[in-house]
Amino acid sequence: MKLLLIDPSDRLLLIHAKDPQTNAECWYPVGGGIEPGETIHSAATREAYEETGLTALPPGTVVWRRDHVYEYAGRRVDVHEEWLLHRVDHFTPRPTALTAHESRTILGFNWWTAPALTRTTSTVFPPSIGPLLTTLLTNGTPTIPIDITDTSATRAYAPG
């Protein structure tokens, strides 16, 4: 599951990270796996707290879905993601419970506008997040989640 944490200025929080094997850097949304016994919303709350220190995650709405295969740290990973939109107050991320691996690979955070994401030459995931975010902010929450699966080849990706 991935979290679209959007502040009152319509900026999206992304994590800056590097692949420990290739040192390739990228930006990606907060998120991670759903543990046994968790709902998607309890997992979102846990991930937001662990990765950013956010203690009061408002309820989110699933806006996108994606099936994705990525390569990271020399291994291939196949995931199904639910993308939740959460409107949050602006805050300074302060991770509270990163794994040892995350502590080595996460370089920082940034709040991005949709136009900045569309223009950047930095590697962002998914690569179309700028236009996708623009459409979401312009059209509002879809009535049913939109499939944003990229059917192109496997990409290198830093997981959340």
Side-chain angles (χ1 to χ4, degrees):
M1 145 250 355
K2 291 292 183 189
L3 310 180
L4 297 167
L5 302 179
I6 299 179
D7 76 3
S9 297
D10 286 341
R11 293 175 296 186
L12 171 64
L13 182 64
L14 294 182
I15 297 171
H16 185 206
K18 68 176 179 175
D19 184 304
Q21 185 169 11
T22 66
N23 288 322
E25 295 184 15
C26 68
W27 294 88
Y28 61 87
V30 172
I34 299 173
E35 296 179 359
E38 284 186 318
T39 66
I40 191 169
H41 296 290
S42 62
T45 299
R46 177 185 48 75
E47 287 288 344
Y49 177 70
E50 290 175 356
E51 293 182 358
T52 72
L54 184 62
T55 58
L57 183 69
T61 302
V62 178
V63 293
W64 302 332
R65 289 194 164 97
R66 178 171 84 145
D67 293 309
H68 183 63
V69 177
Y70 63 89
E71 292 177 8
Y72 180 74
R75 62 188 173 95
R76 184 178 166 108
V77 182
D78 188 358
V79 295
H80 173 77
E81 299 168 336
E82 304 284 330
W83 290 66
L84 291 99
L85 170 64
H86 296 271
R87 288 289 188 166
V88 299
D89 290 334
H90 186 83
F91 67 97
T92 300
R94 290 184 175 80
T96 61
L98 296 179
T99 65
H101 172 76
E102 289 170 328
S103 293
R104 287 190 310 274
T105 60
I106 292 178
L107 303 173
F109 299 85
N110 190 50
W111 291 93
W112 292 76
T113 64
L117 284 167
T118 300
R119 290 189 311 265
T120 189
T121 57
S122 296
T123 302
V124 294
F125 290 103
S128 59
I129 198 163
L132 286 167
L133 183 59
T134 298
T135 300
L136 180 63
L137 294 173
T138 301
N139 297 343
T141 305
T143 54
I144 59 170
I146 297 168
D147 184 351
I148 63 165
T149 298
D150 179 1
T151 58
S152 64
T154 300
R155 299 174 184 261
Y157 181 81

